[in-house]
C-alpha cells in the first residue's frame, strides 16, 4: 500500500514489483471479492451489514486492481508513487474515522450503514481533490523545467 509504493518509485523506468507486492495485491483483491460476495449473498453472516461489505469490497478490489495493473503496465507519470502514497495516507485517516464512528456512534445511533460509510463519503472526494491539486502542481513544475 502506501509504504510499499515508496519502494516502487522507479517502476516507470527500470523498477519492478517483487513477489510480496504481487501476493499483497492478489490477497487484497481476493479478500475484497469475498467481502463483496458475502455482503451481496450472505449479509446475515455480516450482522446485516451487507451494504457496507459490498462498498468496502468494491473499494478494496478497485485499489488492488489499480496496484496490480501498475505492475504490468508501467505508470507513465514518474510521480505516480507520490499520488498513490497520498491516496493511501488519506485512506488510512478515513479508516481511522470509520473505526472511531463504528465504536462510538453506534452506541447512540444504532448500527446503521451510514455510520460505517460517512468517512468514506466525505474522504473520497478529499482524496480526489487533493490528488488533483498535486497533479496540477507537479505538472506545472515539470512543464516549467522542460521549457527552460
Amino acid at each position: 500500500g502506501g509504504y510499499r509504493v515508496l519502494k516502487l518509485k522507479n517502476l516507470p523506468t527500470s523498477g519492478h514489483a517483487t513477489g510480496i507486492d504481487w501476493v499483497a495485491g492478489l490477497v487484497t483483491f481476493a479478500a475484497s471479492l469475498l467481502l463483496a460476495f458475502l455482503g451481496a449473498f450472505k449479509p446475515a453472516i455480516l450482522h446485516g451489514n451487507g451494504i457496507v461489505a459490498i462498498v468496502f469490497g468494491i473499494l478494496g478490489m478497485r485499489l488492488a486492481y489499480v496496484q496490480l495493473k501498475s505492475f504490468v503496465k508501467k505508470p507513465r507519470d514518474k510521480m505516480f508513487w507520490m499520488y498513490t502514497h497520498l491516496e493511501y495516507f488519506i485512506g488510512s485517516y478515513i479508516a481511522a474515522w470509520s473505526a472511531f464512528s463504528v465504536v462510538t456512534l453506534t452506541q447512540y445511533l444504532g448500527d446503521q450503514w451510514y455510520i460505517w460509510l460517512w468517512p468514506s463519503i466525505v474522504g473520497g472526494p478529499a482524496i480526489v481533490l487533493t490528488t488533483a491539486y498535486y497533479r496540477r502542481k507537479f505538472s506545472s513544475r515539470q512543464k516549467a523545467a522542460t521549457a527552460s
Side-chain angles (χ1 to χ4, degrees), residues 83 86-87 90 123-136:
Y83 311 131
L86 181 65
E87 290 165 3
I90 297 171
I127 290 174
V128 170
L129 293 171
T130 304
T131 303
Y133 168 80
Y134 282 104
R135 282 186 190 277
R136 281 191 309 276

Side-chain angles (χ1 to χ4, degrees), residues 24-63:
L26 292 169
V27 167
T28 300
F29 189 88
S32 299
L33 178 63
L34 178 62
L35 184 62
F37 176 84
L38 291 173
F41 300 107
K42 301 282 186 180
I45 292 173
L46 304 167
H47 306 286
N49 286 319
I51 297 289
V52 174
I54 292 168
V55 170
F56 285 163
I58 290 171
L59 180 61
M61 285 187 290
R62 182 190 176 283
L63 292 171

Side-chain angles (χ1 to χ4, degrees), residues 8-105:
L8 299 170
K9 281 185 180 183
N10 59 355
L11 197 58
T13 56
S14 62
H16 63 280
T18 63
I20 192 68
D21 298 312
W22 281 98
V23 169
L26 292 169
V27 167
T28 300
F29 189 88
S32 299
L33 178 63
L34 178 62
L35 184 62
F37 176 84
L38 291 173
F41 300 107
K42 301 282 186 180
I45 292 173
L46 304 167
H47 306 286
N49 286 319
I51 297 289
V52 174
I54 292 168
V55 170
F56 285 163
I58 290 171
L59 180 61
M61 285 187 290
R62 182 190 176 283
L63 292 171
Y65 170 77
V66 169
Q67 189 74 45
L68 291 167
K69 186 174 116 183
S70 75
F71 300 160
V72 176
K73 185 178 179 189
K74 302 289 186 183
R76 284 187 267 149
D77 190 335
K78 67 180 183 178
M79 293 298 291
F80 87 97
W81 64 270
M82 168 66 175
Y83 311 131
T84 303
H85 182 69
L86 181 65
E87 290 165 3
Y88 286 171
F89 186 86
I90 297 171
S92 67
Y93 191 65
I94 293 168
W97 272 101
S98 297
F100 171 79
S101 296
V102 170
V103 169
T104 307
L105 297 178

Side-chain angles (χ1 to χ4, degrees), residues 98-112 115-116:
S98 297
F100 171 79
S101 296
V102 170
V103 169
T104 307
L105 297 178
T106 54
Q107 298 174 48
Y108 305 104
L109 302 174
D111 190 16
Q112 303 295 324
I115 292 174
W116 288 80

